[in-house]
């Protein structure tokens, strides 16, 4: 399994480096406006929403090796092209703005958004191919082995999520943004060849991967939202950056505890009850966030709310609830992921997971809209409550799914994994 783990490490490292760097680079390119950053985010989410299911159907119709090779080359070549465009913009922005009445600069902006959005779509395709299909075939009928594979891959992703941004930030701080973009391009060229070689060996060592169709001819909206927006909110409430760093480390540890303990919970409780445990743990921890809205120090502006000039009770409960909830978050996420892997027919995995990715991107877009509508600290409490409501809704959908799954089936009652896919987009 080392081949699968190594390829996942290389892929995750490149994705996390790029995801961290691109936002800072775009802000530096246009410090006077956020239009470029917002346009990139909007187009990236929009294309994923529109074409996510189409990408999934293409995966279902295409041979495994051809699908992976195509998505791997498209993803890395698009990131390399986007990074090169960033280098050009960082070094020659003045010259481009003076050429052709600024058309050269606008053209570079357009090309960057196109290639970066293509890279995002290809990344979605690669994650579906490997994470939703290949590992199911590799694990075979052994569901405990599948749980272990899912747990290890997710743990690798979480470790990279914590380390890669620090590495990229170090490059930006001690070298330059241009160097960071150039190193990103070089990394993706190197990673593409290495990943291709590893996946080729993995494909050849598992003949079942070549027999597609032989048997069978909801970073999550609120988690991603809480992680990003809440840090800005905490800073505005006077929390020092070093304390946020410590809390982020606590969140990483609790997340790893959740992902690494998932296989054991699955053996002890079964898959369905493990998901209930994850959701329940997440909701209990996030209840602290809702409670923080009315604690001393909260700027939430509603009648009879308790407010105080300088108190860290509110922000402390908020950040503590968010980071402690990572334990349940990743248990629930891994549970839903494995349900989709086990229950969805082989020739429908791409389509189902493509639609799920579209739901995830739709929730991400809703996050931007909510922040635009409620941008101030004194309205942040509304965002906390809305976020908590979405997670409770996801828990309700999952609980209904488990109840129906364990009830005696009727003649026309067939479990629909899309119910679970919709709820996972709310995690």
């Amino acid at each position: 399994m080392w081949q699968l783990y190594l390829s996942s490490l290389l892929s995750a490292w490149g994705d996390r480096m790029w995801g961290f760097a691109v936002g800072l680079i775009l802000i530096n390119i246009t410090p006077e406006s956020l239009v470029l950053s917002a346009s990139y985010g909007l187009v990236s989410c929009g294309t994923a929403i529109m074409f996510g299911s189409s990408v999934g159907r293409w995966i279902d119709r295409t041979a495994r090796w051809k699908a992976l090779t195509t998505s791997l080359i498209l993803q890395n070549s698009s990131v390399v092209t986007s990074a090169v465009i960033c280098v050009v913009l960082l070094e020659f922005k003045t010259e481009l703005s003076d050429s052709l009445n600024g058309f050269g600069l606008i053209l570079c902006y357009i090309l960057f958004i196109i290639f970066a959005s293509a890279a995002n779509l290809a990344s979605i395709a690669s994650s579906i191919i490997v994470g939703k299909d290949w590992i199911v075939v590799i694990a075979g009928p052994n569901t405990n082995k599948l749980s272990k594979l899912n747990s290890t891959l997710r743990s690798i992703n979480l470790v990279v999520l914590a380390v890669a941004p620090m590495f990229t930030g170090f490059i930006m701080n001690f070298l330059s943004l241009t160097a960071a973009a150039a190193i990103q391009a070089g990394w993706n060229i190197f990673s593409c060849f290495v990943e291709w070689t590893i996946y080729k060996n993995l494909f050849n060592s598992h003949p079942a991967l070549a027999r597609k169709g032989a048997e069978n001819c909801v970073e999550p909206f609120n988690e991603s939202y809480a992680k990003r927006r809440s840090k800005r909110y905490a800073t505005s409430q006077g929390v020092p950056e070093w304390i946020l760093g410590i809390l982020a480390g606590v969140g990483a540890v609790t997340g790893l505890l959740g992902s690494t303990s998932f296989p054991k919970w699955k053996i002890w409780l079964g898959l369905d009850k493990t998901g209930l445990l994850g959701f329940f743990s997440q909701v209990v921890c996030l209840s602290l966030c809702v409670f923080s809205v009315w604690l001393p120090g909260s700027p939430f502006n509603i009648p009879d709310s308790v407010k105080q000039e300088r108190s860290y009770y509110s922000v402390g409960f908020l950040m503590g609830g968010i980071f402690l909830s990572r334990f349940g978050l990743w248990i629930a996420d891994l549970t839903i992921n494995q349900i989709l892997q086990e229950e969805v027919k082989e020739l429908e995995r791409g389509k189902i997971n493509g639609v799920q990715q579209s739901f995830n991107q739709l929730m991400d877009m809703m996050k931007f809209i909510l922040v635009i509508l409620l941008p101030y600290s004194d309205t942040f409490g509304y965002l906390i409550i809305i976020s908590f409501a979405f997670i409770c809704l996801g828990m309700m959908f999952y609980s209904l799914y488990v109840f129906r799954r364990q009830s005696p089936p009727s003649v026309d009652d067939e479990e629909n994994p899309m119910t679970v896919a919709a709820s996972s987009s709310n995690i």
Side-chain angles (χ1 to χ4, degrees):
M1 292 298 102
W2 67 269
Q3 295 171 316
L4 182 63
Y5 298 151
L6 180 57
S7 61
S8 176
L9 174 64
L10 293 172
S11 178
W13 186 270
D15 289 345
R16 298 307 183 185
M17 282 179 61
W18 177 243
F20 179 80
V22 66
L24 297 177
I25 290 174
L26 292 181
I27 291 174
N28 187 269
I29 291 173
T30 58
E32 70 283 354
S33 171
L34 295 177
V35 172
L36 179 59
S37 300
S39 300
Y40 161 64
L42 182 63
V43 173
S44 183
C45 289
T47 53
I49 292 170
M50 290 188 293
F51 300 113
S53 60
S54 299
V55 169
R57 287 193 295 270
W58 170 77
I59 292 172
D60 290 332
R61 296 194 303 265
T62 309
R64 285 192 172 99
W65 179 244
K66 180 180 178 181
L68 180 63
T69 302
T70 302
S71 62
L72 184 67
I73 293 175
L74 178 60
Q75 178 187 0
N76 285 280
S77 61
S78 297
V79 172
V80 169
T81 306
S82 300
V84 170
I85 294 174
C86 286
V87 171
V88 173
L89 288 170
L90 288 168
E91 295 297 315
F92 304 104
K93 180 182 176 181
T94 303
E95 290 81 354
L96 289 169
S97 61
D98 293 337
S99 65
L100 301 175
N101 295 322
F103 178 76
L105 184 63
I106 296 175
L107 179 61
C108 284
Y109 289 163
I110 294 173
L111 290 175
F112 169 82
I113 291 174
I114 291 174
F115 281 104
S117 299
N120 183 50
L121 274 178
S123 177
I124 290 174
S126 297
S127 66
I128 293 174
I129 293 167
V130 177
K132 310 293 184 180
D133 182 43
W134 277 41
I135 68 171
V136 179
V137 177
I138 292 172
N142 190 338
T143 60
N144 290 333
K145 182 179 179 181
L146 181 60
S147 299
K148 181 63 176 177
L149 286 173
N150 286 327
S151 172
T152 304
L153 291 177
R154 183 56 52 82
S155 298
I156 291 172
N157 197 5
L158 290 174
V159 171
V160 172
L161 177 61
V163 178
M166 290 191 294
F167 175 77
T168 307
F170 178 85
I171 294 174
M172 291 180 170
N173 187 56
F174 291 96
L175 296 178
S176 66
L177 292 174
T178 302
I183 290 174
Q184 180 73 57
W187 172 266
N188 278 85
I189 294 173
F190 164 78
S191 177
C192 184
F193 285 104
V194 176
E195 286 182 63
W196 187 91
T197 303
I198 293 174
Y199 282 129
K200 185 63 175 177
N201 292 333
L202 189 65
F203 183 83
N204 291 334
S205 61
H206 292 83
L209 289 172
R211 297 194 296 269
K212 187 172 185 177
E215 298 88 353
N216 294 309
C217 297
V218 113
E219 202 332 277
F221 163 78
N222 294 286
E223 192 275 335
S224 174
Y225 167 80
K227 180 176 66 177
R228 298 173 186 175
R229 184 74 173 93
S230 60
K231 287 182 179 178
R232 300 193 196 106
Y233 171 79
T235 302
S236 70
Q237 297 303 300
V239 179
E241 286 78 4
W242 66 271
I243 293 182
L244 287 178
I246 292 175
L247 290 174
V250 173
V253 171
T254 55
L256 281 173
L257 287 175
S259 63
T260 55
S261 65
F262 168 74
K264 294 183 175 61
W265 288 115
K266 191 256 182 184
I267 294 174
W268 294 337
L269 301 177
L271 188 59
D272 292 345
K273 292 181 180 178
T274 297
L276 290 174
L277 170 68
F279 271 111
F280 180 76
S281 174
Q282 186 183 13
V283 168
V284 168
C285 291
L286 291 178
S287 298
L288 299 175
C289 301
V290 178
F291 185 55
S292 73
V293 172
W294 292 277
L295 287 178
S298 172
F300 193 42
N301 187 20
I302 60 174
D304 300 325
S305 63
V306 180
K307 299 177 67 175
Q308 188 172 318
E309 283 298 321
R310 178 63 67 184
S311 174
Y312 294 107
Y313 283 109
S314 177
V315 70
F317 271 73
L318 173 66
M319 303 305 293
I322 289 173
F323 289 121
L324 291 176
S325 70
R326 302 292 175 81
F327 176 81
L329 166 69
W330 294 119
I331 290 179
D333 182 80
L334 286 168
T335 299
I336 292 173
N337 184 57
Q338 184 153 341
I339 288 175
L340 286 170
Q341 291 170 333
E342 293 181 5
E343 298 297 323
V344 176
K345 294 180 180 179
E346 182 179 346
L347 292 182
E348 295 180 352
R349 287 173 188 158
K351 177 175 64 177
I352 298 297
N353 287 284
V355 172
Q356 183 195 8
Q357 290 290 341
S358 296
F359 270 116
N360 292 342
Q361 294 295 325
L362 179 62
M363 295 298 103
D364 205 38
M365 184 174 291
M366 287 180 61
K367 173 196 69 179
F368 290 113
I369 295 173
L370 286 171
V371 172
I372 291 173
L373 295 176
L374 301 167
Y376 303 111
S377 296
D378 59 355
T379 60
F380 190 75
Y382 292 114
L383 299 177
I384 294 174
I385 295 171
I386 292 172
S387 178
F388 183 75
F390 268 95
I391 294 172
C392 290
L393 185 63
M395 180 178 180
M396 182 188 73
F397 281 138
Y398 180 77
S399 300
L400 290 174
Y401 170 80
V402 171
F403 177 77
R404 291 182 57 200
R405 183 178 166 100
Q406 296 183 351
S407 300
S410 61
V411 176
D412 298 323
D413 187 24
E414 188 172 328
E415 298 297 346
N416 183 5
M418 282 302 298
T419 303
V420 181
S423 69
S424 71
S425 67
N426 293 317
I427 297 180

